[in-house]
Amino acid sequence: MKKFLSIIGLILTFFIIYFLQANFFTWFHIAGVKPNLFIVLILFIGLFMGNKLGFVFGLLLGIYIDLVIGKAVGISGIMLGIVGIVGEYLDKNFSKDSRVTMILMVAGSTAIYEVGQYIFQILRWNIPIELLPFIKILLIEVIFNVVLVIILYSLIQKVGNCLEGLFKSKSVLTRYF
């Protein structure tokens, strides 16, 4: 029951983030670039919940995003699924207890997502490659996401540790002969 309620809570968190992306951050942007909190959410799910839930959440929520506001259905789902897998990989190899490590994880995941999106747009619509404007947008978005993670780090850690205890609990079953 607790797992079900926490999944419902994550879905509600997704819709709150969607509201923030669509309404609040249209007022607060830098050079027309908004943060992408979906990347932070899916990375958070991959890091703290694991068990392929990061990929599943990324895929499903990304497809929903594409259906509502995307130009092509599936690319956000694929890229957010990749971010979820990256989160699971980073969980196995790095500590989530360090703020600096978490910042680097968010920066890398944001870069992976945006580069994948850009490559898809180049291939799909034959857009000419404009590297300098893309790098400018990428750097601004990475900085935006990192600043938000710095602000929300303690909340991320508290909620993440609760979810990790719930979804990654290792129960020891002993046998008595």
Side-chain angles (χ1 to χ4, degrees):
M1 184 68 174
K2 288 183 181 181
K3 287 184 180 181
F4 177 75
L5 290 177
S6 41
I7 289 174
I8 296 297
L10 286 172
I11 292 171
L12 289 174
T13 303
F14 168 77
F15 285 111
I16 291 169
I17 288 173
Y18 179 77
F19 172 75
L20 288 173
Q21 289 280 126
N23 295 318
F24 183 71
F25 286 116
T26 56
W27 298 340
F28 300 103
H29 55 82
I30 300 172
V33 180
K34 300 181 289 186
N36 194 338
L37 294 175
F38 300 121
I39 298 170
V40 177
L41 177 67
I42 299 303
L43 180 68
F44 167 79
I45 292 171
L47 283 171
F48 289 102
M49 293 173 64
N51 298 331
K52 306 297 180 226
L53 286 174
F55 174 74
V56 171
F57 265 91
L59 188 65
L60 294 176
L61 298 179
I63 289 173
Y64 176 78
I65 292 168
D66 282 340
L67 288 173
V68 174
I69 58 174
K71 295 178 185 174
V73 176
I75 189 62
S76 291
I78 292 169
M79 294 312 299
L80 285 175
I82 290 171
V83 168
I85 290 173
V86 166
E88 293 174 27
Y89 172 77
L90 292 173
D91 176 39
K92 294 176 185 173
N93 295 315
F94 298 99
S95 172
K96 301 177 294 273
D97 297 329
S98 169
R99 186 178 297 222
V100 174
T101 307
M102 188 69 78
I103 288 169
L104 292 174
M105 289 178 189
V106 168
S109 297
T110 303
I112 289 170
Y113 178 85
E114 289 301 326
V115 167
Q117 287 273 15
Y118 189 63
I119 289 172
F120 175 76
Q121 289 176 358
I122 289 170
L123 296 175
R124 171 83 175 161
W125 290 292
N126 294 326
I127 296 173
I129 299 172
E130 297 176 1
L131 205 53
L132 290 177
F134 171 72
I135 291 173
K136 175 188 162 193
I137 291 169
L138 177 66
L139 288 176
I140 292 171
E141 187 172 327
V142 165
I143 291 169
F144 232 141
N145 281 354
V146 164
V147 167
L148 288 173
V149 167
I150 290 171
I151 293 169
L152 299 172
Y153 178 75
S154 59
L155 177 67
I156 289 171
Q157 280 299 110
K158 287 179 185 176
V159 173
N161 289 334
C162 291
L163 286 175
E164 189 171 36
L166 188 62
F167 282 90
K168 293 184 179 178
S169 64
K170 306 246 189 229
S171 57
V172 177
L173 300 175
T174 58
R175 290 180 152 179
Y176 296 101
F177 293 102

